[in-house]
Amino acid sequence: LHLFSFLDKNSRRSLAKTCHKMLEVFQDPLLWSLLNFYSPVELKKDNFLLGPALKYLSICWYSERVKVCNIEDWMKNTFQKDFCNRHENTVSDFLLDVCNRCPNLLSLTLSGCGHVTDDCILLLLKSCPNLKTLKLENCVRITDQTLEAVTLYGTSLRTLHVDFCRNVTQTGLERVREKCPLVMLRAERSANMIPDTKPDKKLMLEKASRKLVQL
């Protein structure tokens, strides 16, 4: 078990295929208290186990393709929409499994997961009452509804990051600070960013006017 702990997920799976004893070690819950993923494709592989032993989970997608997911829906062309449709529910479906199998989760980090919604985070907060750390970075569908869910169900939460989440507002952040004074809140370049809504003509004129004034 100690030797297995030094291996990555693929190597663990390969070693587990060599004999029954190695398979038993691979299936030991103690081996799977921490999981790191670096693309949605990895979530579909059969090289890890989800269970009550999982304490620390990280899904960080830093590929250039993340930029496509972060484009406002109303601005995406047909090719971009087709690309997103192929993996739109991958992370959310995986997190639903986490909700069902990993009630002892302590820390969750999501970066570049542009299709994760407020409902998904709400369910996770309800299902994992011991969650102490929630870090969301560049998750564009996250809004003040997630912040509200934190005030209601994040009773164990002590660290909350919503960096580059452009659809949270200053009002939502202030509510978390008011209702959850023990939570260390960070929102780098979030509330002051342009939200993910299609601007109407009036708003576009206002922006143009502000630019002229700056010039």
Side-chain angles (χ1 to χ4, degrees):
L1 185 64
H2 180 64
L3 292 175
F4 261 82
S5 68
F6 290 96
L7 303 177
D8 59 32
K9 295 188 290 295
N10 286 333
S11 298
R12 291 178 182 180
R13 187 59 184 170
S14 296
L15 188 56
K17 294 179 179 180
T18 59
C19 69
H20 292 296
K21 183 61 178 178
M22 294 296 98
L23 180 59
E24 290 179 8
V25 179
F26 177 83
Q27 294 173 339
D28 192 318
L30 293 177
L31 190 62
W32 304 103
S33 62
L34 182 150
L35 282 172
N36 294 316
F37 299 94
Y38 301 100
S39 86
V41 176
E42 294 184 22
L43 302 178
K44 296 183 177 182
K45 291 184 178 181
D46 186 27
N47 60 0
F48 62 90
L49 291 181
L50 285 181
L54 182 63
K55 301 291 182 63
Y56 307 94
L57 173 62
S58 172
I59 306 174
C60 298
W61 193 20
Y62 296 116
S63 166
E64 286 293 317
R65 296 180 178 182
V66 172
K67 295 180 180 179
V68 176
C69 301
N70 290 335
I71 297 173
E72 291 86 342
D73 288 339
W74 57 272
M75 290 183 64
K76 290 177 183 175
N77 57 38
T78 302
F79 172 79
Q80 292 166 334
K81 289 179 180 178
D82 289 342
F83 170 77
C84 287
N85 287 338
R86 289 197 293 270
H87 65 266
E88 183 172 5
N89 298 318
T90 301
V91 177
S92 294
D93 290 346
F94 178 82
L95 290 177
L96 290 179
D97 283 341
V98 171
C99 291
N100 294 326
R101 303 182 190 182
C102 312
N104 300 313
L105 190 68
L106 297 178
S107 175
L108 173 64
T109 298
L110 299 177
S111 179
C113 300
H115 299 293
V116 172
T117 64
D118 294 315
D119 290 340
C120 188
I121 301 300
L122 168 62
L123 182 58
L124 189 131
L125 287 169
K126 288 182 176 181
S127 304
C128 305
N130 299 320
L131 192 70
K132 295 183 180 299
T133 300
L134 177 60
K135 297 181 179 179
L136 306 173
E137 176 186 333
N138 210 8
C139 297
V140 297
R141 293 183 185 269
I142 296 303
T143 72
D144 284 359
Q145 292 183 36
T146 286
L147 300 181
E148 182 65 21
V150 166
T151 65
L152 296 174
Y153 306 106
T155 53
S156 299
L157 209 62
R158 292 297 176 265
T159 299
L160 174 64
H161 293 179
V162 283
D163 299 332
F164 293 88
C165 295
R166 62 173 177 256
N167 287 304
V168 301
T169 69
Q170 194 64 43
T171 300
L173 295 173
E174 290 298 333
R175 182 166 176 79
V176 172
R177 292 190 178 99
E178 176 187 350
K179 297 291 184 179
C180 308
L182 298 179
V183 173
M184 295 179 59
L185 177 62
R186 192 179 80 181
E188 183 179 345
R189 308 188 80 174
S190 291
N192 294 326
M193 299 176 74
I194 300 174
D196 186 8
T197 54
K198 186 173 183 178
D200 55 26
K201 187 175 182 180
K202 180 181 178 182
L203 180 59
M204 294 178 71
L205 289 174
E206 289 177 353
K207 290 179 181 178
S209 299
R210 286 199 295 269
K211 288 183 178 180
L212 288 174
V213 170
Q214 291 174 354
L215 293 174

